[in-house]
Amino acid sequence: PILKRCEALKEYSEFIELIKDYREAVRTEIKKLLSQYSEKNIIIFKSRNDADIYLDNLKKVLDFKI
């Protein structure tokens, strides 16, 4: 039983490290992609609410132009 617990703890700690490193790994990949498409107009939202507000305003502008 003790050996199984040790193995489980090792797997658990590896999983925790994966979670801790995930944000930085993803952020690095996103930064790489953003630099690849630097000529594009890229908007980064801090929250879902910010995105909703932006889309609502965009819809108003597009409706106005039509």
Side-chain angles (χ1 to χ4, degrees), residues 1-62:
I2 292 175
L3 185 56
K4 283 186 180 182
R5 285 187 195 152
C6 289
E7 289 174 3
L9 283 174
K10 182 181 177 195
E11 288 179 19
Y12 180 72
S13 65
E14 289 172 359
F15 179 66
I16 295 297
E17 285 303 311
L18 175 71
I19 292 170
K20 286 180 181 178
D21 295 340
Y22 179 79
R23 181 175 182 187
E24 191 57 37
V26 169
R27 182 176 288 178
T28 301
E29 188 63 28
I30 289 172
K31 285 181 180 180
K32 193 184 318 178
L33 287 169
L34 288 174
S35 68
Q36 268 184 308
Y37 297 100
S38 61
E39 74 281 356
K40 302 289 183 186
N41 184 19
I42 298 171
I43 302 168
I44 300 172
F45 301 106
K46 302 290 184 189
S47 69
R48 180 68 204 177
N49 188 52
D50 289 347
D52 290 340
I53 291 169
Y54 176 84
L55 292 173
D56 287 343
N57 288 333
L58 182 62
K59 183 179 183 318
K60 289 175 189 174
V61 168
L62 292 177

